[in-house]
């Protein structure tokens, strides 16, 4: 079955977490495997925020890139530790905490480029408010 960038956008904007949607998408598109975060950068930024750049991989295939600004003080202690010391994606770590994702922008990109979709979203936790602002790029390898 062919999947389009529009299908991917619809799934991502209606799913609870991008990591969960992407994991399910990859199982259907590529078969069994696991979604892992390769942290390219995680550094202190202004006002107690942190700046994080990651590539999400399905097995050995890069499927998305993201730039995240997150507020470590709003995250559970175990999540802060696991973000820095494991390859578990952010959305997977926070899914059980009741993460709420609000998409603020989702635009299709030219199909001939390396990315087919750009998504901006705000992530919030109950009782904590906003804990992250993300800008995600989804690779063309995801569709076809």
């Amino acid at each position: 079955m062919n999947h389009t960038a529009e299908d991917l956008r619809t799934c991502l904007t209606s799913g609870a977490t991008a990591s969960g949607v992407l994991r399910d998408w990859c199982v259907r598109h590529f078969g069994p495997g696991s979604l892992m975060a390769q942290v390219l950068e995680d550094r202190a930024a202004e006002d107690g925020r942190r700046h994080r750049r990651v590539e999400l991989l399905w097995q050995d295939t890069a499927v998305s890139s993201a730039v995240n600004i997150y507020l470590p003080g709003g995250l559970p202690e175990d999540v802060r530790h696991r973000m820095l010391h494991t390859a578990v994606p952010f959305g997977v770590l926070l899914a059980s905490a009741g993460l709420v994702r609000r998409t603020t922008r989702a635009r299709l990109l030219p199909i001939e480029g390396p990315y087919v979709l750009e998504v901006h979203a705000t992530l919030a936790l109950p009782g904590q408010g906003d804990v992250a602002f993300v800008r995600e790029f989804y690779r063309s390898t995801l569709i076809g």
Side-chain angles (χ1 to χ4, degrees), residues 8-61:
L8 180 59
R9 177 170 66 175
T10 298
C11 290
L12 286 164
T13 58
S14 61
T17 70
S19 301
V21 168
L22 193 53
R23 181 191 60 235
D24 294 345
W25 182 277
C26 287
V27 165
R28 287 191 309 274
H29 192 75
F30 300 118
S34 60
L35 187 66
M36 305 301 282
Q38 179 181 17
V39 179
L40 305 174
E41 177 182 37
D42 193 319
R43 63 174 170 79
E46 67 282 347
D47 300 331
R49 299 175 186 194
R50 290 195 65 85
H51 178 270
R52 180 179 174 93
R53 287 186 318 111
V54 298
E55 289 277 332
L56 292 184
L57 306 170
W58 184 257
Q59 302 305 88
D60 293 330
T61 302

Side-chain angles (χ1 to χ4, degrees), residues 8-144:
L8 180 59
R9 177 170 66 175
T10 298
C11 290
L12 286 164
T13 58
S14 61
T17 70
S19 301
V21 168
L22 193 53
R23 181 191 60 235
D24 294 345
W25 182 277
C26 287
V27 165
R28 287 191 309 274
H29 192 75
F30 300 118
S34 60
L35 187 66
M36 305 301 282
Q38 179 181 17
V39 179
L40 305 174
E41 177 182 37
D42 193 319
R43 63 174 170 79
E46 67 282 347
D47 300 331
R49 299 175 186 194
R50 290 195 65 85
H51 178 270
R52 180 179 174 93
R53 287 186 318 111
V54 298
E55 289 277 332
L56 292 184
L57 306 170
W58 184 257
Q59 302 305 88
D60 293 330
T61 302
V63 292
S64 78
S65 300
V67 175
N68 307 326
I69 302 296
Y70 71 97
L71 307 168
L75 302 175
E77 177 61 37
D78 64 316
V79 170
R80 286 194 305 257
H81 176 78
R82 291 180 69 198
M83 280 182 66
L84 296 173
H85 302 288
T86 71
V88 178
F90 190 72
V92 173
L93 290 172
L94 289 172
S96 65
L99 183 68
V100 176
R101 179 181 170 91
R102 294 183 319 273
T103 301
T104 56
R105 181 178 187 191
R107 72 179 180 111
L108 300 176
L109 301 173
I111 198 73
E112 62 276 354
Y115 299 100
V116 294
L117 179 62
E118 176 184 3
V119 176
H120 297 214
T122 301
L123 309 178
L125 289 175
Q128 296 295 323
D130 294 341
V131 295
F133 309 93
V134 300
R135 184 176 179 201
E136 304 157 337
F137 294 89
Y138 295 89
R139 293 189 173 272
S140 59
T141 55
L142 290 167
I143 62 169

